[in-house]
Structure formats: structure tokens, C-alpha cells
Amino acid sequence: QLQLQESGPGLVKSSETLSLTCSVSGASISGNSYFWGWIRQPPGKGLEWIGSIYYSGSTYYNPSLKSRVTISVDTSKNQFSLKLSSVTAADTAVYYCARDYQRDWFGPWGQGSLVTVSS
Amino acid sequence: DIQMTQSPSTLSASVGDRVTITCRASQSISSWLAWYQQKPGKAPKFLIYKASSLESGVPSRFSGSGSGTEFTLTISSLQPDDFATYYCQQYNSYPRTFGQGTKVEIK
């Protein structure tokens, strides 16, 4: 059964870089034609797609965040990672990783990781 | 970006009720729409793709319909496990965008 798990610091200082890793188990990140994505949800608000990556390293990002986002993949560890630079309080959110089915829908999702940006 | 608008924002219903949630797109998205269920403190769960195709394992009381700009998610007989927030998401064009959510609460 495919499972995803986010990990990383829960607190990041304003203007610094947020870093999270998603560990994938139950399937190879290199298998099939799946992409792997990041989605975030500010407290009490809706969902925002951040970006996605293919095992080959091909990426595509939400234009609203593109200048600050880097997503990378490590196939040897079956993981992919998110870096968001120059964070502000507006970046405080629960960050989810998920399988991105052919760049269409998302599922399954990791349990989520709350990241708070402090001043 | 394509804007997705859900209505109502909150819906109060009882167990056994038939429930319908509407999702409208700011432009035509054909049938490229997905639905998710999210319970408090949990990750969203994928329910439906291509507007009306049920993901494996999703109860048959859930159904989706629509095309173009107007879509609906229907729960034919609301069960205790169905009280949650539901989101629609378009994948017709990038960036993919979500609706603001519809909370289904106990009446």
C-alpha cells in the first residue's frame, strides 16, 4: 500500500528557507508514470498546489510561487523534497505531499506537516 | 488561473439525508474535475476523478456529475462518517486550483 510521510522543521524564521522531505513507501518513486507533488493549506483555509516533480527531475510549479520554490527528487532514497525561500507569515501552513496522478489529481496524501513562520 | 467556487460554504444535514454540493468553474474545464473529502486534522482523501468516476474503494453513495462549468457532488444517504469538508479541484489547465471547500455538518 502506497504511503507518504512528510518530515522537516515545524518552525522557520521569517526570510529563511523552508525545507521538507516526503518519504514514499509501498512503491518506487521511479515507477509508472506518476508525478509527486506538494500542496499546502493555511490554518482554516483552502488548498493550494505548490508544484510537482517526475522521477527524472522534470518539475512544474505554481506560477504564484515559482520564484521561491525548488522541488527535487532522490530516487535512491525514494524521497522528494520541497524548498521554499524567503518565507513570511503568509507561508504558515500545513504542507502535504501526495502522488500526482499524471499531473491531474492527487492521491494518496501524506498526513501533513505544520510549518509555522516566526518573526 | 481558473477560479473554482463551491456552494454552499456550510451545509447542515442529518444522517440519511441526500446531500448535494455544487462547484462552479470560472471557465469551461470539460470534465476535468476531482473531488476530495477532508476530516478535521487529517489529509484530504481523493474521491472522484473526471467529474463522475469513483476512485476504487469509495462508497457508491457518493456520485459526481457535470461538465463545462457546473458540477455537483451528491451523497445519496448521508452516513456519520461523511461529516467532513469537501473540495473540488480542476485539472483542465495550470495551475491546478481548488474550491474553497464545503463543510457538511450535523444538523
Side-chain angles (χ1 to χ4, degrees), chain B residues 31 33 35 48-54 62-66 71-72:
Chain B
S31 296
L33 186 91
W35 287 98
I48 288 172
Y49 62 98
K50 207 174 178 184
S52 61
S53 297
L54 227 59
F62 289 91
S63 64
S65 65
F71 303 85
T72 59

Side-chain angles (χ1 to χ4, degrees), chain A residues 3-7 20-24 29 35-39 51-55 70-75 77-83 96-100 108 110:
Chain A
Q3 292 185 316
L4 298 90
Q5 175 73 57
E6 305 87 352
S7 60
L20 293 171
T21 296
C22 182
S23 298
V24 178
I29 204 168
F35 281 69
W36 304 90
W38 290 96
I39 303 103
S52 298
I53 190 166
Y54 194 54
Y55 77 91
T70 302
I71 297 176
S72 58
V73 64
D74 186 336
T75 55
K77 294 182 178 179
N78 223 35
Q79 296 176 336
F80 61 105
S81 298
L82 168 71
K83 291 188 184 298
Y96 295 101
C97 59
R99 182 179 63 181
D100 181 344

Side-chain angles (χ1 to χ4, degrees), chain B residues 9-94:
Chain B
S9 296
T10 305
L11 186 159
S12 298
S14 302
V15 172
D17 283 353
R18 181 182 180 87
V19 166
T20 299
I21 297 167
T22 298
C23 175
R24 290 186 174 87
S26 60
Q27 65 189 73
S28 177
I29 59 170
S30 187
S31 296
W32 307 123
L33 186 91
W35 287 98
Y36 303 85
Q37 176 195 65
Q38 185 178 34
K39 296 180 180 178
K42 301 294 186 182
K45 174 187 175 184
F46 171 57
L47 298 176
I48 288 172
Y49 62 98
K50 207 174 178 184
S52 61
S53 297
L54 227 59
E55 167 71 340
S56 176
V58 174
S60 59
R61 63 181 180 272
F62 289 91
S63 64
S65 65
S67 66
T69 62
E70 187 155 334
F71 303 85
T72 59
L73 172 68
T74 298
I75 308 172
S76 61
S77 177
L78 198 65
Q79 298 302 300
D81 191 49
D82 302 336
F83 290 97
T85 300
Y86 294 84
Y87 293 92
C88 61
Q89 175 237 318
Q90 66 82 20
Y91 51 97
N92 178 77
S93 64
Y94 294 90

